[in-house]
Amino acid sequence: MKRSEQAATIVARLASDLFQAETSQDEAVNQLGRLAQSMTLSRRAAGLSATVGQAAFDALAEAVTAQIGAQRAMVALHEALAEVKRNTAYRGIRMGGLEKADRPVPHPAGLALVS
């Protein structure tokens, strides 16, 4: 295998794993949001006062904070990997989205009323 082919394989595997990790973190934040909603609705449906189960809500807040911190660390990881690319022979290899400019932010088409 040529050196450039080997480098491309390494980069593709790294990029795939990085994006899977980022997607997993996004899903974890999403799940925590759903859990917060479920806990609030469940407490109300059970007829419990807002003071009941506050420790559980506090623990959930800590989990959300930790997950957001993990996302912040992933941003730092992304930047560190981009720095590795700039300072090595890999700088000439396209990393398929490792640079955020390669992945434009989608713009929503608009909202529609759903009945």
Side-chain angles (χ1 to χ4, degrees):
M1 181 182 288
K2 291 183 182 178
R3 184 168 168 81
S4 62
E5 291 172 351
Q6 181 184 19
T9 299
I10 291 167
V11 167
R13 183 183 61 236
L14 177 63
S16 175
D17 291 345
L18 177 64
F19 297 135
Q20 283 181 345
E22 289 175 339
T23 298
S24 294
Q25 285 186 317
D26 287 344
E27 184 56 29
V29 171
N30 214 11
Q31 286 294 122
L32 289 169
R34 279 187 232 144
L35 178 58
Q37 182 179 24
S38 180
M39 287 170 57
T40 303
L41 293 173
S42 296
R43 182 168 62 183
R44 188 179 315 147
L48 302 173
S49 78
T51 59
V52 174
Q54 187 57 45
F57 282 94
D58 292 342
L60 177 61
E62 287 181 36
V64 170
T65 299
Q67 188 60 46
I68 298 302
Q71 285 184 310
R72 187 177 306 109
M74 286 299 291
V75 169
L77 172 60
H78 222 112
E79 292 169 357
L81 288 171
E83 182 69 18
V84 167
K85 179 189 175 218
R86 282 190 296 274
N87 294 319
T88 65
Y90 290 91
R91 68 182 160 273
I93 298 171
R94 185 145 176 83
M95 290 197 158
L98 198 53
E99 295 82 20
K100 289 299 183 183
D102 291 345
R103 300 176 68 190
V105 176
H107 297 289
L111 300 175
L113 181 61
V114 177
S115 59

